[in-house]
Amino acid sequence: MLARKSIIPEEYVLARIAAENLRKPRIRDRPRKARFIAKNGACNLAHKNIREQGRFLQDIFTTLVDLKWRHTLVIFTMSFLCSWLLFAMMWWLVAFAHGDMDPSTENLSNSTKWTPCVTCVRSFTSAFLFSIEVQVTIGFGGRMMTEECPLAITVLILQNIVGLIINAVMLGCIFMKTAQAHRRAETLIFSRQAVIAVRNGKLCFMFRVGDLRKSMIISASVRIQVVRKTMTPEGEVIPIHQVDIPVDNPIESNNIFLVAPLIICHVIDKRSPLYDISASDLALQDLELIVILEGVVETTGITTQARTSYVAEEILWGHRFVPIVTEEEGVYAVDYSKFGNTVKVAAPRCSARELDEKPSILIQTLQKSELSHQNSLRKRNSMRRNNSIRRSNSMRRTNSSLIVPKVQFITPEGSQSASET
């Protein structure tokens, strides 16, 4: 069957669709800036066009530790295999030079006239097995050295020294990779979002940090840096301009006792880069706040460092972290399920500069929040009263429906008898 033709021409339909698409405004999101520090603490930085690659070989131990595990295991295996093969070739050459490979000397080996350098080494395979026995000190007993060849004794001493060096380097590399400082940093957690709220009459930037292990971080300290793209008055563009911002800590040593999750606070004052930023300007800011937690691991004594960052989209204005530490049966309990939970609080939407110039803004904001809180309480009380009245009315109705009416029965004789059911 043929398709039925539309009554409206196709040219008109296409023109109408194009006109509707032109009328609809297209909202394009602002392109996100690349983070300098990821949420897990990894540095988002790629090193390119490094010409002096030989500098990495000058510090070969650090290079081996920084490699990935698969590369380290390949190097670990190949170092032993290559050393075994190299010294197997040397043992084979020693035996070949002494004449131990000659089949005619095989019958003379049992007599006192002929003494080989290494007994039972007649091929490269036997030389390879003897090389493994020497380096790893297995000693099966079938192959052994004799005092016939001083060169063989020299090779034995050299192989022992090389084997000890390989063992020390590779085992030290494996130990350092398993005991790296960033492994301990996996149990140091930060809140996914930061908040800006009023604390002690000042606008403060706050985030929460905690340690999941019972072993503590000794001499823990927290630093905050703001990374943003800036331009100098001379026209020089600095793509990664780092500015340190102070942390509000009542302890003079600037160390924290991280036995339980803490809320780290930065007071937004004249020294802060956030001093001129308001709530409406925060979403338009192209900045990144980097948080660095450093300390010494109690069990190993290794200095560890945990990092994270907060961009403008991850900072909540007018929020506060909920308390997660409670006392239960004489023990302080931490509920980590509420670690990043926040609650809305009253906070002025202006910048810290405007708040310092006009302190009345804070008073008005607090009064409005108090009035709104009282209104909400009144609404809750009225709703509770209405609900109680409705419940009482419904209970009366149900009780009245349960009352049984009196029924009178008339007998044929005309007498009346009342009975209740």
Side-chain angles (χ1 to χ4, degrees):
M1 295 177 64
L2 297 176
R4 183 179 297 176
K5 292 184 179 181
S6 177
I7 301 175
I8 303 175
E10 294 182 357
E11 294 81 2
Y12 177 78
V13 175
L14 294 176
R16 185 64 179 273
I17 293 173
E20 290 179 356
N21 290 334
L22 289 175
R23 291 173 186 173
K24 293 179 180 180
R26 296 182 180 180
I27 302 174
R28 296 182 180 179
D29 296 335
R30 184 169 59 93
R32 287 187 177 182
K33 176 191 172 185
R35 303 178 76 112
F36 187 61
I37 299 294
K39 295 298 290 183
N40 59 357
C43 297
N44 188 19
L45 187 66
H47 298 277
K48 296 182 179 180
N49 301 326
I50 300 176
R51 298 179 180 179
E52 298 180 1
Q53 298 287 344
R55 292 181 177 270
F56 295 98
L57 297 178
Q58 295 177 4
D59 188 10
I60 186 64
F61 186 76
T62 306
T63 303
L64 292 175
V65 174
D66 290 340
L67 289 176
K68 295 182 179 180
W69 268 106
R70 56 178 178 269
H71 299 155
T72 303
L73 294 177
V74 169
I75 294 174
F76 180 84
T77 306
M78 293 304 298
S79 62
F80 284 102
L81 286 177
C82 292
S83 64
W84 294 340
L85 289 172
L86 175 63
F87 284 99
M89 180 63 68
M90 296 177 67
W91 288 116
W92 185 84
L93 290 174
V94 169
F96 180 79
H98 190 257
D100 298 343
M101 299 296 179
D102 192 358
S104 60
T105 61
E106 184 177 358
N107 297 327
L108 300 175
S109 60
N110 297 327
S111 63
T112 58
K113 297 179 181 179
W114 178 258
T115 304
C117 293
V118 181
T119 59
C120 300
V121 176
R122 297 288 180 179
S123 62
F124 182 78
T125 304
S126 58
F128 179 73
L129 293 176
F130 181 71
S131 175
I132 296 175
E133 292 178 15
V134 170
Q135 189 162 336
V136 299
T137 63
I138 295 177
F140 291 113
R143 304 173 186 85
M144 62 179 180
M145 283 267 309
T146 62
E147 56 186 16
E148 181 69 19
C149 303
L151 181 61
I153 298 174
T154 304
V155 174
L156 176 65
I157 296 172
L158 182 62
Q159 186 173 4
N160 284 328
I161 294 174
V162 172
L164 289 175
I165 293 174
I166 293 175
N167 288 335
V169 173
M170 298 311 300
L171 293 179
C173 177
I174 296 296
F175 173 75
M176 289 302 297
K177 285 188 70 66
T178 54
Q180 278 183 339
H182 68 270
R183 303 296 180 187
R184 179 62 177 87
E186 296 293 334
T187 53
L188 297 174
I189 57 175
F190 299 88
S191 57
R192 296 287 300 178
Q193 294 173 326
V195 298
I196 293 179
V198 178
R199 175 182 280 190
N200 298 326
K202 297 285 186 180
L203 277 177
C204 298
F205 170 82
M206 294 173 286
F207 61 92
R208 178 173 276 166
V209 61
D211 188 4
L212 299 179
R213 290 187 181 273
K214 291 185 177 180
S215 59
M216 295 177 53
I217 300 295
I218 304 172
S219 301
S221 61
V222 178
R223 293 187 292 114
I224 306 177
Q225 290 184 346
V226 175
V227 177
R228 63 196 312 175
K229 183 178 180 181
T230 59
M231 179 181 294
T232 61
E234 294 79 13
E236 180 186 0
V237 178
I238 303 176
I240 303 175
H241 182 59
Q242 302 179 15
V243 179
D244 286 331
I245 59 178
V247 178
D248 185 19
N249 194 352
I251 304 176
E252 295 181 358
S253 61
N254 202 24
N255 294 332
I256 60 175
F257 187 54
L258 196 59
V259 66
L262 298 177
I263 298 176
I264 307 301
C265 176
H266 159 65
V267 179
I268 304 177
D269 52 9
K270 296 180 180 180
R271 301 174 296 171
S272 174
L274 309 176
Y275 190 59
D276 296 325
I277 298 176
S278 63
S280 58
D281 299 335
L282 181 62
L284 304 176
Q285 294 295 320
D286 194 7
L287 56 84
E288 180 179 359
L289 283 87
I290 299 175
V291 178
I292 303 172
L293 172 63
E294 292 180 335
V296 179
V297 183
E298 184 181 19
T299 54
T300 61
I302 301 175
T303 303
T304 184
Q305 185 182 93
R307 300 178 297 266
T308 191
S309 67
Y310 299 99
V311 294
E313 292 81 4
E314 297 170 348
I315 301 175
L316 303 178
W317 194 290
H319 284 70
R320 183 184 299 164
F321 288 104
V322 298
I324 60 174
V325 181
T326 56
E327 186 177 356
E328 299 176 359
E329 299 179 357
V331 178
Y332 288 98
V334 181
D335 187 6
Y336 280 99
S337 63
K338 302 177 182 179
F339 184 80
N341 293 358
T342 61
V343 62
K344 261 192 171 184
V345 294
R349 309 291 293 179
C350 62
S351 63
R353 179 185 291 275
E354 296 177 1
L355 189 61
D356 291 342
E357 294 175 354
K358 299 178 181 179
S360 60
I361 298 176
L362 179 60
I363 299 174
Q364 294 176 1
T365 304
L366 295 177
Q367 289 178 353
K368 289 181 181 179
S369 65
E370 184 67 23
L371 290 175
S372 62
H373 181 65
Q374 291 179 0
N375 293 331
S376 62
L377 289 177
R378 291 173 183 174
K379 289 180 180 179
R380 290 178 184 176
N381 294 331
S382 62
M383 290 177 64
R384 290 176 183 175
R385 291 174 184 174
N386 295 332
N387 292 332
S388 62
I389 293 172
R390 290 174 183 174
R391 289 176 184 175
S392 61
N393 292 334
S394 62
M395 290 292 292
R396 290 175 183 175
R397 291 175 183 175
T398 53
N399 293 332
S400 61
S401 62
L402 292 175
I403 297 175
V404 181
K406 295 181 180 180
V407 181
Q408 293 182 355
F409 295 96
I410 301 174
T411 58
E413 292 79 6
S415 62
Q416 296 181 355
S417 63
S419 64
E420 295 180 6
T421 61

